[in-house]
Structures are given as structure tokens and as C-alpha cells.
Amino acid sequence: DSGVTQTPKHLITATGQRVTLRCSPRSGDLSVYWYQQSLDQGLQFLIHYYNGEERAKGNILERFSAQQFPDLHSELNLSSLELGDSALYFCASSVGWKDEQYFGPGTRLTVT
Amino acid sequence: GNSVTQMEGPVTLSEEAFLTINCTYTATGYPSLFWYVQYPGEGLQLLLKATKADDKGSNKGFEATYRKETTSFHLEKGSVQVSDSAVYFCALRRLYGGSQGNLIFGKGTKLSVKP
């Protein structure tokens, strides 16, 4: 158990819909990273937040957005969902951005 | 740009066989290198890491040496067990030059160990 929690574990939704994925980092960790794991693209970095502020963006679509709240949990919002958005979404947390990242168990999103 | 290339799987071995999973990287500067393992239905766990050239990371019988001259970080284990069956990811992380510490992963190598 890494100490990072993600909810929900599974999510099934239809094309065009909007979903929110939630991540609670380990106690004391200020950095939260979001990654997407898909069969064709592999594991890709989406976005990084540090202490409530966005610090870096990777291959994140404009339909996707994220935020980190004052209690340091983070949410990833995916809208206008397409079949190709079906993937495992992981969050990882670390104390600071130079420290080891600990991964949550992931949320499996299926878009039908 | 920065990238990681690792050998395609799946790799199937018998118990107690020797394991090598090749990983090479392309990066500017001096990245840190990692091996992560993903067991079925779980998230990624850090297996080992190396932060500078010639460093050797080791954990649970696995080893990898940071080779700057060949830009490689091959994973090895002398005697695999059934419980090592998992997907292994090589990754790099740059801490400078505009990076904010995000990991860049290879595509993963699935290892199956038969009794």
C-alpha cells in the first residue's frame, strides 16, 4: 500500500459524458502527478500540481483539466469523452518535485 | 526530446532462469533512471533507481547499472521466481532544464515466469 488513494476504482460511462477522478496523496506530500496508461500510448504524463499550483503539463488534452485543493487532494476532470479516452489513470504523489513518486492503484475508465 | 526504449515483451522464463530486460534512453543533461514494476491489478511500485553515471541500483535481487557511455540501464536478476511475474517499466526523470520531475516511461515489458 503506497498510501495514495484513488477513487473510483472503475468507471464506465458513455461518449460525450464528463467524469471526475479523485486522488488523495500520501500525508505530507505536496506534489501530485497524473498519468494515463493506455494500450497504444503506454504510460504518459498528463499534469503536475505542487501545493495547489499547476507546475507542468504533458500530453494533456484540452478536454481534460485538473486542480489541487487546499487539503492537497487532486481531481482530474475529463469531458466530452471519446472511446479513445478509455485507459487507466494513475496519480502519484511526492513530498517535493525532486522526490520519489508513489503511485496510487489507478482508476480504470471505460468509455462505451 | 527525452525518451526511453525498452525491449518488447512478453518475456517467458522458467523459474531460476537469468533475466535481462534491456533499456536505453535519450535525454539531455543527466537524468535519473528508474525501474518500476506493476503487478496485475495494481499500481506501479518503484523497484530500483540510479541518479548518476556508474551508479548501481539494486532491490529484491534485481540490479541495474547506469551506463552513460551506452545510455543504458538494463535490468537483471540472477534467478527469477514465479512471484516476479509482472510488467516492468524503465523510466527517466530530469530534474533541471524546465522539467518539474515528471517521469518518462518506456512501453513496459511483461515477464511471465513458469514453475
Side-chain angles (χ1 to χ4, degrees), chain A:
Chain A
D1 185 351
S2 66
V4 179
T5 60
Q6 289 187 248
T7 56
K9 193 164 185 166
H10 300 280
L11 199 48
I12 301 174
T13 190
T15 54
Q17 295 299 304
R18 172 189 168 93
V19 297
T20 297
L21 313 184
R22 181 187 170 106
C23 169
S24 294
R26 294 185 321 151
S27 177
D29 285 359
L30 299 178
S31 270
V32 171
Y33 298 81
W34 285 96
Y35 295 89
Q36 179 195 58
Q37 185 179 30
S38 63
L39 281 175
D40 50 347
Q41 299 291 327
L43 258 168
Q44 291 199 93
F45 164 67
L46 295 178
I47 197 164
H48 169 213
Y49 275 82
Y50 177 80
N51 202 21
E53 291 189 8
E54 181 187 304
R55 297 306 295 266
K57 274 186 172 179
N59 297 324
I60 188 166
L61 300 170
E62 284 194 15
R63 300 184 284 110
F64 295 2
S65 64
Q67 51 184 326
Q68 186 178 27
F69 294 86
D71 68 352
L72 300 176
H73 90 271
S74 178
E75 293 181 356
L76 179 67
N77 300 296
L78 315 176
S79 62
S80 303
L81 285 168
E82 302 175 359
L83 295 178
D85 298 327
S86 296
L88 257 174
Y89 291 84
F90 288 106
C91 83
S93 74
S94 60
V95 175
W97 61 275
K98 294 184 182 181
D99 300 300
E100 179 179 333
Q101 293 178 28
Y102 293 85
F103 281 76
T107 293
R108 181 171 292 282
L109 173 67
T110 302
V111 182
T112 61

Side-chain angles (χ1 to χ4, degrees), chain B residues 71-89:
Chain B
T71 61
S72 65
F73 192 56
H74 305 320
L75 182 68
E76 296 182 338
K77 186 176 186 184
S79 175
V80 293
Q81 306 300 312
V82 173
S83 57
D84 294 327
S85 297
V87 181
Y88 292 81
F89 292 91

Side-chain angles (χ1 to χ4, degrees), chain B residues 6 15 30 34-35 40 43 75 79 82 88 91 115:
Chain B
Q6 62 181 103
E15 209 165 21
Y30 302 94
F34 304 83
W35 277 100
L75 182 68
S79 175
V82 173
Y88 292 81

Side-chain angles (χ1 to χ4, degrees), chain B residues 6-102:
Chain B
Q6 62 181 103
M7 61 189 285
E8 299 276 336
V11 173
T12 303
L13 296 174
S14 297
E15 209 165 21
E16 299 184 4
F18 184 85
L19 168 71
T20 299
I21 301 177
N22 290 337
C23 171
T24 56
Y25 69 90
T26 301
T28 54
Y30 302 94
S32 295
L33 301 174
F34 304 83
W35 277 100
Y36 280 82
V37 59
Q38 184 179 28
Y39 298 102
E42 297 184 14
L44 283 78
Q45 299 174 29
L46 178 63
L47 182 59
L48 53 85
K49 67 179 181 183
T51 58
K52 60 183 189 296
D54 300 324
D55 265 3
K56 177 187 279 189
S58 61
N59 185 24
K60 299 180 182 179
F62 291 89
E63 293 183 340
T65 301
Y66 189 142
R67 301 282 188 204
K68 189 162 171 55
E69 62 277 11
T70 54
T71 61
S72 65
F73 192 56
H74 305 320
L75 182 68
E76 296 182 338
K77 186 176 186 184
S79 175
V80 293
Q81 306 300 312
V82 173
S83 57
D84 294 327
S85 297
V87 181
Y88 292 81
F89 292 91
C90 184
L92 71 80
R93 186 175 69 174
R94 291 178 60 240
L95 293 181
Y96 302 99
S99 167
Q100 282 290 315
N102 57 280

